[in-house]
Amino acid sequence: QRIKCCDDPLNPPPIADICRSCKNAVMSKRTTSVLLNFSALLVGALVAIISVTTYEWLMALPNERAAIAEGGSLLVSAASKAQIAALMAAMTAIPIIAVCLPIWLVLAKFRKNNWIAAAALGITSTVGAWVVLFDLETPLSDALIASVPYGICGALAGVTTWWASPGRRVSAASGN
């Protein structure tokens, strides 16, 4: 028995169960769903990059002001440090997304994809990436303490990605 297309772009019926006239509509809905999820990931990555850049700039600004007040100079200005941080955050976002995406899909399958899970995934993946990629020479306890601000930026990015994702609207509408 053939069924008509589902109005839910996130849960269309399998292609084999749809008549030919409806296949194009379902494929269009699936493409839209993929694009909406990709845009949510992009928004989350941008929030991570902006928050890390802002943190680095705010941390470097007092040193720059003190050096200027004393008549000295800095090797790297606060703006340059923020630009480097933005580049590093953008390069780090790719492997973090590559690790988090399959975990998030498993959480979504079991309907555990809420803002708390998004924040926890953002914190743990960002802290893990910081420790593995940047702080290999320092003791683990020091690396974990140094990664806390970046973990907060990761949590903010995770919650933003959850907020921008189309799945959140569907689960909110269904009462989950």
Side-chain angles (χ1 to χ4, degrees):
Q1 174 163 356
R2 300 288 183 184
I3 56 174
K4 288 223 171 221
C5 296
C6 178
D7 289 332
D8 183 5
L10 296 176
N11 297 313
I15 293 292
D17 294 341
I18 300 173
C19 65
R20 279 185 182 245
S21 62
C22 296
K23 281 189 183 182
N24 288 337
V26 170
M27 292 306 289
S28 173
K29 288 179 183 181
R30 287 186 179 167
T31 303
T32 302
S33 175
V34 168
L35 289 175
L36 288 173
N37 282 312
F38 180 75
S39 65
L41 285 172
L42 186 62
V43 167
L46 286 174
V47 165
I49 292 167
I50 290 168
S51 60
V52 166
T53 303
T54 304
Y55 168 74
E56 287 292 337
W57 180 73
L58 288 174
M59 291 295 107
L61 199 56
N63 293 337
E64 183 176 300
R65 287 184 178 165
I68 291 171
E70 293 173 2
S73 64
L74 291 174
L75 185 60
V76 178
S77 69
S80 296
K81 191 170 182 179
Q83 290 172 348
I84 293 167
L87 179 64
M88 295 303 291
M91 289 177 10
T92 308
I94 295 168
I96 289 174
I97 290 172
V99 168
C100 289
L101 190 58
I103 297 169
W104 187 254
L105 292 174
V106 169
L107 288 171
K109 183 176 182 178
F110 294 109
R111 297 190 177 269
K112 301 294 182 191
N113 55 342
N114 53 27
W115 70 271
I116 297 170
L121 191 56
I123 288 173
T124 55
S125 62
T126 306
V127 168
W130 174 263
V131 170
V132 169
L133 296 175
F134 299 114
D135 268 348
L136 291 175
E137 298 172 359
T138 59
L140 183 60
S141 60
D142 293 343
L144 289 174
I145 291 170
S147 66
V148 167
Y150 304 104
I152 293 170
C153 294
L156 183 62
V159 170
T160 303
T161 303
W162 166 81
W163 177 82
S165 69
R168 176 188 66 86
R169 293 188 230 23
V170 170
S171 31
S174 66
N176 292 334

